[in-house]
Structure formats: C-alpha cells, structure tokens
C-alpha cells in the first residue's frame, strides 16, 4: 500500500492527527458541556445532532453524526482492503485477531 501524498502533506496530516490525539487524551478539546459550564455557550447540546449534551464521548462516538462518520471510515477501510491487510500484518507479528 503506497502513500500517494507528497511527503510534506503526509507529515502535516500525521502532525494534525498527533495533536488531536494529545488533546483527546488530556481532555483539552472544549466540548459544549464545558463551554456551557463556563458560560461561553448558552446551550450544552451537541452542535451536530442537537439531541444530547455535547461531551467528548458524544462528539466522537455517540452522536448519530459521529456514528455515520465512523461507518463511512469503516466502509472506506474495507473498500481499500486496509483492515484485511492490517489483520495479516498482526498475524505475521504474532498478535491475536
């Protein structure tokens, strides 16, 4: 599986992904539930679904829009056969699947 992106763009995406990971791990992405508590937002509802309180869990997992995004990502991974390739790599490395 070759990377068709120029190295500069590929490294930029990797850096952005790492920054997001660090922010998630340290809970420094301000979701509406926090912004509401410190009186920056008038409502704590999710900006996307307008159904539940926007917590990090809702924003990245429970929200129906987040779920649709994860389904689209999973479909893309299947389409590109990336999941099967990763399972093969895991088997070669001795990991259980």
């Amino acid at each position: 599986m070759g990377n068709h992106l120029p190295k500069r763009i590929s490294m930029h995406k990797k850096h952005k992904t790492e920054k997001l990971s660090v922010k998630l791990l340290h809970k420094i992405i301000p979701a509406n539930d926090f912004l509401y508590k410190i009186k920056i937002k008038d409502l704590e509802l999710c900006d996307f679904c307008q159904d539940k309180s926007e917590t990090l869990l809702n924003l990245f997992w429970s929200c129906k829009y987040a779920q649709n995004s994860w389904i689209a990502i999973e479909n893309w991974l299947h389409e590109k056969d990336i999941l099967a390739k990763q399972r093969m790599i895991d088997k070669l490395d001795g990991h259980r699947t």
Side-chain angles (χ1 to χ4, degrees), residues 79-90:
E79 180 183 305
K80 300 294 181 187
D81 206 23
I82 293 170
L83 293 177
K85 291 175 185 174
Q86 184 60 51
R87 282 192 296 275
M88 179 69 80
I89 292 168
D90 288 345

Side-chain angles (χ1 to χ4, degrees), residues 18-35 37-38 54-60:
E18 288 172 351
K19 282 177 60 176
L20 177 61
S21 297
V22 168
K23 287 180 179 181
L24 281 171
L25 287 171
H26 294 283
K27 298 181 179 180
I28 55 176
I29 295 176
N32 284 350
D33 66 332
F34 174 72
L35 297 174
K37 286 177 187 172
I38 62 172
E54 185 183 277
T55 62
L56 289 179
L57 181 62
N58 176 69
L59 190 58
F60 287 97

Side-chain angles (χ1 to χ4, degrees), residues 21-82:
S21 297
V22 168
K23 287 180 179 181
L24 281 171
L25 287 171
H26 294 283
K27 298 181 179 180
I28 55 176
I29 295 176
N32 284 350
D33 66 332
F34 174 72
L35 297 174
Y36 175 75
K37 286 177 187 172
I38 62 172
K39 302 190 185 317
I40 290 178
K41 292 280 261 184
D42 292 331
L43 297 171
E44 62 181 289
L45 288 177
C46 174
D47 285 333
F48 298 101
C49 68
Q50 298 288 313
D51 188 35
K52 298 178 181 174
S53 175
E54 185 183 277
T55 62
L56 289 179
L57 181 62
N58 176 69
L59 190 58
F60 287 97
W61 188 253
S62 340
C63 173
K64 62 186 173 187
Y65 292 95
Q67 286 293 311
N68 289 337
S69 296
W70 288 120
I71 290 168
I73 291 168
E74 183 178 23
N75 289 339
W76 180 82
L77 291 171
H78 281 294
E79 180 183 305
K80 300 294 181 187
D81 206 23
I82 293 170

